Amino acid sequence: AYYTLCPVNDTQDFLGVAADAESGAIINTLGRNIVVITRLSDQKQIRSWTVLEKLSNRVVYDGATGKYVGVFGKRNLKCWKDIETNLKKVKKIKLQKNVSNLVTFGENRETLVVFEDGSCATLSSLLLGENPQDDGILSVGVAIESPRVLIGATGELLLLFFTRDLATGAVELRFSALDETSRTLQGDWGRIKLNRGIQGVKLMAYEVTEGPMLITVWSDRRIFRRKVKFDEDDSPGQFTFMLNAVSVEQPLSMVSVSKDYLAIYGANVGQEGASLVLYNFYFNVIQAKQFFKVYFNNSRLSVVDGNILLAVAQILAVVPYRIPQSYLADMVGSQKSPKRDKYIACDYVREDDELEKAIERDLKKISSQKQNNCEEDKKVEKPPRYAASEEIMDEKLSALRRRNVIVDVLQLEHQEKVEVKIFTNPNAAKFTGDEFEYLAMELEASGASEFDISSRIISLALSGNAPMEAQNCLRRYTCIPEGKLVSCLVYAMKNELWDFLSTILSVDFSHEELVEELRNQLGEEMIYPLMKRLLKFLENSPLEEHPTPRGELWDGDERILGWFSAIVDAHYQHLVLRSTEKTKKCLKMWDNIVRKYYRTIQEAKDLTATIYSISQNRAPARTQIESKWYSIDVVQLF
């Protein structure tokens, strides 16, 4: 949830926010003449200043001097204590260059003054009257964006900032090392050009996170990341994720939240409004999502003390967030191994569109005839792990069976060795298509989560009309996104694939998220056929058993009732206002079934009490309700 902190008259004059000396408070430079200190916990104003001179940058707090720092007219510097009431009386320090931004860094919250030509100087040196370094590397017509000071890969301090050519719009990342004591620039500048060299593909958002790591988002929905190093490589790095949570057709705002997280604000895909998403680029998943009714393209994001601040339209919104110390099991992935990244088949992991074409070609080959060992040299081979002896192999298999793990032993053609695949679902098996099996293997080896793997494979399977592969995915993994689960449901209902539907209904889900996806994807014309089909499954066709992520006892009837409950919650208004006679008749049948289950549960409660009394050698308490499960009669013997 989010709340509005204060109104913003003009986002162009809004200079930004910074962390205050007091934890949980922010310095809000609302305009070029207003500075407000606000406590976020109760949204109360602690202090404020109004100045006649116009500020040119946001005000920051310098930990070394214990003073607030502001730049007026780009060349005048002022520092003042929190008890100061009249900033007109504060001494002004005139600088020789125009200031681009003030950057605070480190535990002591030192302040580095970055000038428009790319040079810099510490605040302490400027207060002592020292002149800044010689001219910087930037020429006129180049603007600095988002300067930061981060720790490099080898432990040195780096000054990093983006530059934008005001004439061409070209964006580059510039970075240089800082001296540990004087904080002056040392050595040469590194440069990375943000350009993929593909016609029609535009840069939509960019940010540098701790590491340091460069993250870029492009107009083809691809997210790239690369380490910031002093080399001549201008490539955007490694493709890691397809951004589907927000639209890339409208301007995006992006800010680093922590070492592994980014906050991205953008327009919703295919509908009105906007979304603020929390993206974990380490595991490539969308962690959280906050919806907004209206989208505005002039947005700005900041992060202060566990709060994302969004300046949009004429408001400053605060979105609190919390990143847990330990990740959930379905996010971490069961096979995280950074050392195996070099084995990843990039063509299979990266290019979703090429995969879809490959799937269609593969399906055509299967329908016509099975080609024998075609293009074996193009397959990605990875060194398997072999058992040294039969005794060791038997010992490992016995250990797996004791853990109730399904072991599938496959004899490879023309080879003496066997391949062992381990599944937790007794119905699971390898994918029938090579493209799907290779993609799954590489994603598992790279440490991707089951949530991400299943999402990508199901999307490819449904778009390539390969429902069997989607069904194998549902059987192979336990953590399935509710959105993909409903997509499979709609596909199975339209094509009357009842075996596929049985597998879909067996998968574990979150009720709240399933209701939302059913409301968005399940059409009204499909409600009645689905409820009728659920009745048939409940009466005649038991679902296949499916393991749950939490290891709970699996109950097929409970799963079907859960689906029915989600359908009713998602389409309650339609069922009340626009139900046909056949739909009402179906609902009455469901009402009878639910009442029957309720009575059975009540009888089970009485049975539990009776069993406990018997175990304690006590006479069972008489109940007023006659049980259908058992009866106790007194028999007179003659």
Side-chain angles (χ1 to χ4, degrees):
Y2 72 96
Y3 59 88
T4 301
L5 184 64
C6 63
V8 177
N9 293 331
D10 188 356
T11 53
Q12 300 298 326
D13 291 334
F14 176 70
L15 298 180
V17 297
D20 186 41
E22 179 182 335
S23 179
I26 63 168
I27 308 169
N28 187 0
T29 312
L30 267 175
R32 299 189 181 273
N33 304 96
I34 304 174
V35 181
V36 179
I37 311 297
T38 307
R39 186 185 299 112
L40 294 178
S41 59
D42 53 9
Q43 295 93 58
K44 287 186 178 181
Q45 178 177 312
I46 302 175
R47 62 186 68 90
S48 64
W49 297 278
T50 303
V51 295
L52 296 177
E53 300 174 274
K54 287 189 176 181
L55 288 157
S56 55
N57 299 90
R58 63 172 185 166
V59 173
V60 300
Y61 177 79
D62 178 63
T65 60
K67 294 182 178 181
Y68 295 93
V69 186
V71 179
F72 299 83
K74 293 190 175 183
R75 288 206 176 189
N76 298 317
L77 195 67
K78 284 187 177 184
C79 302
W80 66 92
K81 290 280 189 179
D82 56 356
I83 59 175
E84 187 67 54
T85 57
N86 188 359
L87 298 188
K88 189 176 182 180
K89 298 179 181 180
V90 178
K91 183 181 177 180
K92 183 188 304 181
I93 301 174
K94 191 171 183 61
L95 305 175
Q96 299 178 356
K97 301 179 181 180
N98 289 346
V99 176
S100 172
N101 213 322
L102 302 175
V103 182
T104 58
F105 64 96
E107 295 181 357
N108 298 326
R109 298 182 62 177
E110 303 175 59
T111 301
L112 190 71
V113 180
V114 181
F115 298 97
E116 289 185 348
D117 63 355
S119 60
C120 66
T122 61
L123 176 64
S124 58
S125 65
L126 295 176
L127 294 178
L128 293 175
E130 299 179 6
N131 294 325
Q133 291 178 320
D134 297 335
D135 293 340
I137 59 170
L138 301 182
S139 58
V140 179
V142 178
I144 293 178
E145 299 178 1
S146 307
R148 297 189 66 181
V149 175
L150 297 173
I151 299 177
T154 57
E156 78 279 14
L157 283 178
L158 292 179
L159 170 64
L160 310 96
F161 53 76
F162 295 98
T163 61
R164 179 181 292 276
D165 192 313
L166 301 179
T168 63
V171 180
E172 296 180 351
L173 175 65
R174 299 290 188 98
F175 51 97
S176 181
L178 293 174
D179 185 81
E180 292 185 2
T181 55
S182 64
R183 307 306 193 201
T184 56
L185 295 172
Q186 300 291 323
D188 298 331
W189 283 85
R191 179 173 69 176
I192 301 175
K193 297 180 181 179
L194 306 189
N195 184 9
R196 286 172 55 192
I198 302 177
Q199 186 176 3
V201 176
K202 300 179 180 179
L203 180 66
M204 301 304 298
Y206 42 89
E207 178 66 321
V208 173
T209 68
E210 297 177 23
M213 188 79 69
L214 171 63
I215 310 294
T216 53
V217 182
W218 302 82
S219 58
D220 58 356
R221 298 185 293 115
R222 283 168 167 75
I223 296 181
F224 285 79
R225 70 176 180 184
R226 62 160 293 175
K227 291 183 178 180
V228 178
K229 298 186 296 185
F230 289 92
D231 53 26
E232 300 299 327
D233 184 15
D234 276 335
S235 69
Q238 178 187 13
F239 165 66
T240 60
F241 191 67
M242 294 290 289
L243 182 62
N244 297 313
V246 293
S247 172
V248 295
E249 297 178 358
Q250 303 294 334
L252 300 174
S253 296
M254 185 166 66
V255 68
S256 173
V257 173
S258 69
K259 183 179 179 181
D260 301 325
Y261 286 85
L262 289 169
I264 306 175
Y265 172 84
N268 288 331
V269 179
Q271 57 181 335
E272 296 181 355
S275 293
L276 176 66
V277 299
L278 196 60
Y279 166 57
N280 184 319
F281 60 85
Y282 187 73
F283 296 113
N284 292 321
V285 295
I286 299 298
Q287 178 91 13
K289 196 171 186 179
Q290 173 65 57
F291 291 96
F292 297 89
K293 293 183 179 179
V294 183
Y295 165 76
F296 298 93
N297 55 13
N298 56 341
S299 59
R300 295 172 62 182
L301 287 172
S302 306
V303 176
V304 177
D305 294 337
N307 296 277
I308 301 172
L309 295 103
L310 171 64
V312 62
Q314 294 184 336
I315 65 168
L316 179 62
V318 179
V319 186
Y321 69 90
R322 183 180 66 85
I323 298 176
Q325 295 297 322
S326 59
Y327 300 104
L328 298 177
D330 61 319
M331 285 189 58
V332 174
S334 58
Q335 303 183 40
K336 182 60 186 173
S337 178
K339 296 181 180 179
R340 297 189 64 185
D341 288 348
K342 61 182 180 180
Y343 294 118
I344 298 176
C346 299
D347 291 338
Y348 284 104
V349 178
R350 296 183 182 180
E351 302 299 335
D352 287 357
D353 49 351
E354 294 184 6
L355 272 170
E356 293 179 9
K357 296 177 182 178
I359 293 165
E360 293 179 0
R361 291 195 300 267
D362 190 62
L363 289 174
K364 290 179 181 179
K365 291 179 182 179
I366 293 175
S367 61
S368 59
Q369 60 180 0
K370 197 75 174 181
Q371 296 191 3
N372 298 323
N373 301 325
C374 62
E375 299 182 353
E376 286 291 332
D377 56 323
K378 294 184 179 180
K379 295 183 180 179
V380 181
E381 295 184 358
K382 298 175 64 174
R385 292 178 296 177
Y386 298 113
S389 63
E390 294 184 8
E391 291 77 11
I392 297 176
M393 185 68 176
D394 291 338
E395 182 179 348
K396 291 183 178 181
L397 291 178
S398 299
L400 291 172
R401 293 190 180 99
R402 286 195 297 269
R403 293 166 51 194
N404 294 324
V405 175
I406 306 302
V407 180
D408 188 13
V409 181
L410 305 175
Q411 176 71 47
L412 302 181
E413 295 182 3
H414 310 296
Q415 296 186 29
E416 296 180 356
K417 303 180 180 67
V418 295
E419 177 184 347
V420 179
K421 295 291 290 185
I422 302 171
F423 304 109
T424 57
N425 189 339
N427 298 302
K430 293 181 62 176
F431 291 101
T432 56
D434 290 340
E435 294 84 2
F436 289 97
E437 185 63 30
Y438 292 150
L439 175 61
M441 289 170 57
E442 298 304 333
L443 288 174
E444 290 170 0
S446 66
S449 66
E450 288 193 355
F451 188 95
D452 188 36
I453 297 174
S454 58
S455 178
R456 300 183 69 172
I457 290 180
I458 290 174
S459 298
L460 290 170
L462 296 184
S463 62
N465 291 322
M468 181 59 69
E469 306 296 1
Q471 187 174 10
N472 288 335
C473 182
L474 296 180
R475 290 170 171 170
R476 183 161 174 163
Y477 305 109
T478 57
C479 186
I480 311 295
E482 281 73 9
K484 300 304 177 184
L485 203 58
V486 176
S487 299
C488 292
L489 175 80
V490 173
Y491 186 96
M493 288 295 297
K494 288 182 178 179
N495 295 277
E496 298 184 356
L497 303 175
W498 308 134
D499 183 61
F500 185 22
L501 182 60
S502 174
T503 304
I504 297 168
L505 299 177
S506 303
V507 177
D508 189 62
F509 58 84
S510 167
H511 180 82
E512 292 76 12
E513 296 183 12
L514 183 64
V515 168
E516 187 66 26
E517 295 297 338
L518 287 171
R519 187 178 292 119
N520 295 333
Q521 297 189 48
L522 188 66
E524 296 178 354
E525 73 282 353
M526 204 174 291
I527 297 175
Y528 169 73
L530 180 56
M531 291 195 304
K532 189 176 179 182
R533 180 58 54 178
L534 289 178
L535 276 175
K536 292 185 177 180
F537 275 114
L538 196 62
E539 296 173 354
N540 303 320
S541 304
L543 303 181
E544 63 180 45
E545 184 172 350
H546 194 282
T548 62
R550 295 176 294 275
E552 299 172 349
L553 183 63
W554 190 88
D555 187 345
D557 290 354
E558 179 185 358
R559 195 59 50 82
I560 295 177
L561 291 174
W563 273 94
F564 173 72
S565 175
I567 295 171
V568 173
D569 289 343
H571 295 278
Y572 178 79
Q573 292 183 347
H574 169 76
L575 294 173
V576 172
L577 301 177
R578 288 179 286 180
S579 292
T580 60
E581 289 299 325
K582 60 180 181 180
T583 303
K584 292 179 180 178
K585 184 178 179 181
C586 185
L587 288 172
K588 289 181 180 179
M589 297 174 64
W590 271 106
D591 179 65
N592 294 332
I593 290 176
V594 172
R595 290 179 183 274
K596 178 181 177 182
Y597 273 92
Y598 179 78
R599 288 193 300 267
T600 303
I601 292 173
Q602 295 302 317
E603 294 176 2
K605 289 182 179 180
D606 296 336
L607 180 61
T608 302
T610 302
I611 294 175
Y612 177 77
S613 297
I614 294 173
S615 65
Q616 298 296 319
N617 294 324
R618 294 200 302 243
R622 292 184 175 274
T623 57
Q624 296 180 354
I625 303 176
E626 182 180 356
S627 175
K628 297 179 181 179
W629 290 9
Y630 69 94
S631 63
I632 300 176
D633 296 329
V634 178
V635 180
Q636 184 70 38
L637 298 177
F638 297 98

